[in-house]
Amino acid sequence: GQQLNQSPQSMFIQEGEDVSMNCTSSSIFNTWLWYKQDPGEGPVLLIALYKAGELTSNGRLTAQFGITRKDSFLNISASIPSDVGIYFCAGHTGTASKLTFGTGTRLQVTL
Amino acid sequence: DTGVSQDPRHKITKRGQNVTFRCDPISEHNRLYWYRQTLGQGPEFLTYFQNEAQLEKSRLLSDRFSAERPKGSFSTLEIQRTEQGDSAMYLCASIAGRTDTQYFGPGTRLTVL
């Protein structure tokens, strides 16, 4: 099935550094969501974006809905060890709200 | 509100056996989704219910797969004659009303030997 293009695939950063990742699609989406998944667990919602150009924060996380509606960005500031995990973007067009997910960005944080 | 729950969390089966998974959505969430996630990939949509009606099925859902939501509450996903390619994490998500936010359960990891 279709998967969104997410980059980078993996990141190794030091504690305290800022992180940026992005997600692109060939199709327009009406909603963008960012999830974090720990090993053996289901995805946990971090941020939801509903309007083109929207910039939303959740603590140290900030995400933006691209104005073309074909991309989204997630930034994590001042990373900490518990930020380790796989981050997925997901979008939907509104039809039945089924989600199309990205391929994931694996984040490793070193002390 | 206890969140989406799934049972079992892990299932190991031999090829050719049938397996059934259960998902209990968040109370009063009328829409329920099943996704499959293979190693190193993001989840992929399988099927979707609004109340008890199954409204959409992905091409990924072969005729060996069947899902039900008989009373519009919990849902089951059955895989008949399992194959090694069915090994994956099966995730359930639910959503309330007309919101767009899907909440996921912890998943059932299936291993077919």
Side-chain angles (χ1 to χ4, degrees), chain A residues 41-110:
Chain A
E41 299 294 329
V44 174
L45 182 69
L46 299 174
I47 290 182
L49 302 156
Y50 301 106
K51 291 170 57 175
E54 178 182 355
L55 187 71
T56 297
S57 293
N58 178 9
R60 294 179 296 105
L61 277 60
T62 302
Q64 184 162 25
F65 191 140
I67 58 173
T68 65
R69 295 164 65 194
K70 291 183 177 182
D71 57 6
S72 181
F73 303 87
L74 176 69
N75 295 316
I76 305 173
S77 63
S79 58
I80 59 178
S82 63
D83 291 335
V84 167
I86 303 177
Y87 291 79
F88 287 101
C89 62
H92 77 74
T93 60
T95 305
S97 297
K98 64 180 179 183
L99 293 175
T100 300
F101 278 83
T103 48
T105 293
R106 181 181 296 274
L107 179 64
Q108 297 276 17
V109 179
T110 57

Side-chain angles (χ1 to χ4, degrees), chain B residues 37-86:
Chain B
Q37 185 178 24
T38 53
L39 207 59
Q41 300 295 317
E44 293 179 287
F45 170 77
L46 290 179
T47 189
Y48 146 67
F49 290 85
Q50 179 151 322
N51 299 313
E52 66 275 10
Q54 187 174 18
L55 297 186
E56 187 173 351
K57 293 192 287 186
S58 159
R59 289 173 300 169
L60 294 175
L61 213 65
S62 76
D63 56 6
R64 296 184 298 105
F65 288 69
S66 62
E68 294 182 341
R69 195 183 183 197
K71 298 182 180 178
S73 56
F74 72 92
S75 175
T76 58
L77 177 68
E78 181 184 15
I79 309 174
Q80 296 182 324
R81 304 180 304 282
T82 53
E83 302 172 356
Q84 287 185 324
D86 297 331

